[in-house]
Amino acid sequence: MGRLSVSALFRLPRPRNDEDLALPLRPYFSRTIDKVAADFLAMKDIDDLARVLEVPKGNLVYIAYTRGLSAQYKTFEIRKKSGGTRIIHMPKGGLRVLQQKLKKIFDFLDRKPKCSHAYHKGKSFLTNAVEHKKKRFVFNMDLEEFFPSIHFGRVQGVLRAAYKMPPSVATFIAHLCCYNGSIPQGAPTSPSISNLVSNNLDKKILALAIKHHVSYTRYADDITFSYRYRNFPPAIGHFAATGQLFGPAAVGATLEQLIKDQGFQVNHKKTRLQYNHYQQSVTGVIVNQFPNVRRRKVLEVRKLIYLWRTFGLEKAETFRFEKAEGGDYFRAVLFGNLAYLKGVRGENDKIVRSFCRDILRITTKVPNWVRVAAEEFQVKDVFLSHASEDKVAVAKPLFDACQAVGISVFYDAEDIKWGDSVIEKINHGLGEAKIIVPVISETFLEKKWPVRELNVALSRFMKDKARILPIIYNIDHLDDYPLLSDFHYKKWEDNPAELVALLKERLNSI
């Protein structure tokens, strides 16, 4: 009996020539993803798969079998932070398009388990870390050869189990998603499949964690436990030496056997138990009290900005990285590190905003979020507090006079735009201003919001963090307001130039 060809196996006429089947595929679906996913779950054979992926069956089989996978991957190496290299296999052409379409389906059907934080929409390294803040113990461990351990058979099996998929279809999809017998790093489908395969592992470990009152999360191959009580459960992990409070640790026998039973291995070189008297980190984020970054990350960003400002972009790139890529590599590293800082500390963080403003003084060619962080939350020297009834008569003329001489003023009519958070903007303006100018009038003291701003101003003054210059309008004195009576105040007599001169004098003395 003769050997069946791929075309005969799938009842296909032999293609006229390879060029017809190598034409570019459409990288998007013509239907909504919910309808595509419904048809995906109802597939019975390869014909159904071709219809779901919206590709001619001949092209599908040509890409998967006839052409050969080795010609459809680009292989290269990248450096690991810990040293050594990682091999990346990135699919090309039609295979990449098919994997991207499958990824969209996998992601739509993703159940988003609570304990898994990698490759899920709305989750990240930061959400993974936040789960473990303010704990007595943090236990970190790593799975060895995570992607390579998810081999062809496991992919085929999980597709059949998770989606009730016929064996022929599961085998075909597994072939599309695997390279050299396992899911490759660099393929669009690999992250989604790794989560799918790890679902059972998560369930088993979560049950063990709940039994011992331990918090558990997984970020790809990075597993973390945290515990708030006195003695960390030895079934999960323990220090390598008695009496130790930081450093190398060993995985508990119960946990290690559970991981082995699920087809994974522990990387013992990356196992550590961290006590809260020492720095605790999870996926690179410090979690002792609140999410934070290591100080060396802040220093690295500051150093890069200094080099750019001092030597120029291309010379800085050569000096710091020994590269000559027209500044593109330098920019990528700088903005990548700054984005990481923003992701952990928040875009309103003083250090992040300061870095963004420093970069804008060097160049205007920046990502939009840098401009937003630098400009939207720009520190103003003066905060102008007033009742809305006093806006036209006092606040606007005083603001215009300050602008004319270069004094930066937070003035709500100018600084709060449509869609902004009013509370966030006012809190920032009040919290950063060097001088707070309340326009005191009968209307001002009758309204809750201006009085709240005045209370914040007094609090900052008593902490020696700001000065106050009250301006009284349509009242004779401040004797009835004992908290303000000791301040040197000025009367509003349509005299913005005089007041601006006084503000300038006080700012120069700070």
Side-chain angles (χ1 to χ4, degrees), residues 36-173:
V36 172
D39 289 344
F40 179 83
L41 295 174
M43 291 187 303
K44 301 298 182 186
D45 52 33
I46 307 303
D47 294 278
D48 290 340
L49 176 61
R51 281 190 288 271
V52 167
L53 297 178
E54 297 179 353
V55 57
K57 185 177 176 182
N59 293 62
L60 188 61
V61 175
Y62 172 80
I63 291 170
Y65 289 97
T66 309
R67 190 178 178 191
L69 292 178
S70 59
Q72 301 181 77
Y73 278 93
K74 177 183 178 182
T75 300
F76 56 94
E77 295 181 348
I78 60 173
R79 290 182 182 178
K80 293 182 180 180
K81 289 183 179 179
S82 56
T85 58
R86 176 178 285 112
I87 298 176
I88 303 296
H89 301 289
M90 184 178 293
K92 303 182 293 184
L95 179 62
R96 182 170 184 80
V97 171
L98 293 178
Q99 289 188 2
Q100 287 172 334
K101 286 187 168 184
L102 285 169
K103 179 186 184 303
K104 290 177 183 177
I105 297 171
F106 292 149
D107 290 348
F108 180 80
L109 296 173
D110 182 15
R111 297 171 185 172
K112 296 181 182 176
K114 183 181 179 181
C115 53
S116 177
H117 289 259
Y119 319 127
H120 297 289
K121 187 176 181 181
K123 294 189 175 185
S124 67
F125 70 93
L126 184 58
T127 62
N128 180 71
V130 167
E131 294 287 328
H132 304 284
K133 67 179 182 179
K134 297 183 180 180
K135 298 294 182 69
R136 183 185 290 263
F137 291 100
V138 172
F139 180 57
N140 308 95
M141 57 170 291
D142 209 65
L143 298 178
E144 194 166 31
E145 299 293 334
F146 183 55
F147 276 19
S149 67
I150 302 175
H151 53 72
F152 181 93
R154 298 183 74 177
V155 177
Q156 181 198 45
V158 77
L159 290 174
R160 293 182 61 185
Y163 304 126
K164 312 300 180 187
M165 197 175 285
S168 62
V169 180
T171 300
F172 197 98
I173 293 177

Side-chain angles (χ1 to χ4, degrees), residues 4-12 14 61-62 64-66 172:
L4 288 175
S5 66
V6 174
S7 297
L9 180 63
F10 293 105
R11 296 187 179 88
L12 281 173
R14 185 172 294 280
V61 175
Y62 172 80
Y65 289 97
T66 309
F172 197 98

Side-chain angles (χ1 to χ4, degrees), residues 233-250:
I236 292 175
H238 53 84
F239 285 113
T242 306
Q244 190 178 342
L245 290 176
F246 181 81

Side-chain angles (χ1 to χ4, degrees), residues 226-241:
S226 58
Y227 191 65
R228 65 175 70 252
Y229 304 111
R230 187 176 181 83
N231 297 311
F232 194 82
I236 292 175
H238 53 84
F239 285 113

Side-chain angles (χ1 to χ4, degrees), residues 32 34 36 46 88 203 301 314 318 378 385 391 393 396 443 496:
T32 57
D34 57 327
V36 172
I46 307 303
I88 303 296
K203 290 177 184 177
V301 174
E314 294 185 15
T318 304
Q378 187 176 358
S385 177
K391 186 187 299 286
K396 185 64 165 65
T443 309

